[in-house]
Amino acid sequence: MQTGRVQHATNPADGVRIAYETVGDGEPLVLIHGTALSHAIWRGFGYVAALRDRYRLILVDLRGHGRSDKPHDETAYAMDLVSGDILAVLDHLKMPSAHVLGYSLGGRVALALAVGAPERLESLIIGGGSSRPQACAFDRLFFPGCVDVLDQDGMDAFLEQWNSRRSWPIDAGTRAAFKANDAKALAAYMRRSGVEPGVDDEVLRGIAVPTLLFVGSHDTERLGDTRRAAALIPGASLAILPGFDHSTTVAASTEVLAAVEPFLART
C-alpha cells in the first residue's frame, strides 16, 4: 500500500512546480479538483477511502492552488500549460498513462488532455465541466466584477460580497478552502480562463478515449454543456445526478462513485 506524502513535479515548459500525492495500489487514477480548491477535497469527500484499495490515486494541486506554485501572471494559466502540469506529474511518476477524473476546472483540464495527449489517458471522466468558452463564467458563478474584487481588495472582500449575494451563507469548509488561496494568483487564473477558447465540436467528435460525463440536475451553469458534450463525444456515457448543483455534486461522492466505479471497471 502506498502511503501519501506531498511530492513535486516540474513542468518543463515554464518551470512551475506542481504538488501531488499518491495513495493506494492498483491502476493509476488521477483526480483533478476545481477552482479555488486543492487535492484535499478527495479525502474530505470520501473518494480516497472508497477508491484506494483498487486504484493508485494521484491527487494533484493545480497551479495557483494548494501547495503548487502560484504565479501572478495570467499567461501562466493557459490551458496547454495547466494540462501539461498533469503530464509532468505522470512523467515524474514514470507512468505512461492513467485514468483521469476531473471536476469543473479539473474536468476542463482532463478534456484538454484527451484532446492533446490521448495516448496518456486510459479513460476520461468529466464532472460539471464544459467544452465551451468561459467568458464571464465567474461573474455568473460568484457575482459581477468578482475577479476585480479578488485582485484589488483580496479574499476577505471577495468572500463578503459573494456571501451577501447567496441564498444561504458560505459554509465554514468552503470559506476555509478559499482563504487558503493566494488571491492574486486566483484572479490571474480566472482572467485567463475567461479568454481561453473552447473545444470545437469536430474535435469532440474525434475523441476516442472511453468517456463518462456526470453533472448535477440542478447545475444550471453546466447541465446543458455536459449533455451537449456527451452527445458529441463518440460512445460517451452520461450520468445526471438528481438534486445536486455545481457546488454540491462533487461532495456527493456516493452518487458520483455509483456512476464512476462501474465505468472504470468496464474500461
Side-chain angles (χ1 to χ4, degrees), residues 109-149:
V109 175
L111 178 59
L113 288 169
V115 171
E119 72 283 358
R120 305 299 297 270
L121 271 64
E122 294 296 324
S123 68
L124 169 66
I125 305 171
I126 298 172
S130 179
S131 62
R132 294 176 180 270
Q134 294 299 300
C136 301
F138 293 111
D139 284 353
R140 296 191 297 272
L141 184 60
F142 298 113
F143 58 88
C146 65
V147 181
D148 287 339
V149 171

Side-chain angles (χ1 to χ4, degrees), residues 203-227:
V203 175
L204 293 177
R205 292 188 181 102
I207 292 176
V209 177
T211 302
L212 166 69
L213 299 100
F214 67 88
V215 65
S217 64
H218 294 175
D219 187 346
T220 56
E221 183 70 20
R222 296 292 168 80
L223 179 59
D225 287 0
T226 299
R227 281 178 164 151

Side-chain angles (χ1 to χ4, degrees), residues 221-247:
E221 183 70 20
R222 296 292 168 80
L223 179 59
D225 287 0
T226 299
R227 281 178 164 151
R228 184 171 178 277
L232 290 169
I233 297 172
S237 299
L238 172 64
I240 298 175
L241 308 185
F244 297 102
D245 62 15
H246 192 72
S247 63

Side-chain angles (χ1 to χ4, degrees), residues 131-192:
S131 62
R132 294 176 180 270
Q134 294 299 300
C136 301
F138 293 111
D139 284 353
R140 296 191 297 272
L141 184 60
F142 298 113
F143 58 88
C146 65
V147 181
D148 287 339
V149 171
L150 189 60
D151 188 23
Q152 297 166 17
D153 302 322
M155 186 61 71
D156 287 338
F158 171 89
L159 290 170
E160 181 181 347
Q161 292 203 35
W162 182 27
N163 195 57
S164 71
R165 289 167 166 81
R166 289 167 56 98
S167 301
W168 59 91
I170 302 170
D171 65 89
T174 299
R175 184 178 291 274
F178 271 72
K179 285 178 70 68
N181 283 281
D182 179 315
K184 288 195 175 296
L186 198 60
Y189 145 67
M190 289 179 174
R191 290 194 196 284
R192 178 65 194 207

Side-chain angles (χ1 to χ4, degrees), residues 48-65:
V48 170
L51 296 169
R52 65 182 297 163
D53 289 339
R54 295 182 304 284
Y55 298 94
R56 187 179 184 190
L57 304 176
I58 304 161
L59 315 175
V60 180
D61 282 342
L62 292 171
R63 62 173 59 201
H65 297 74

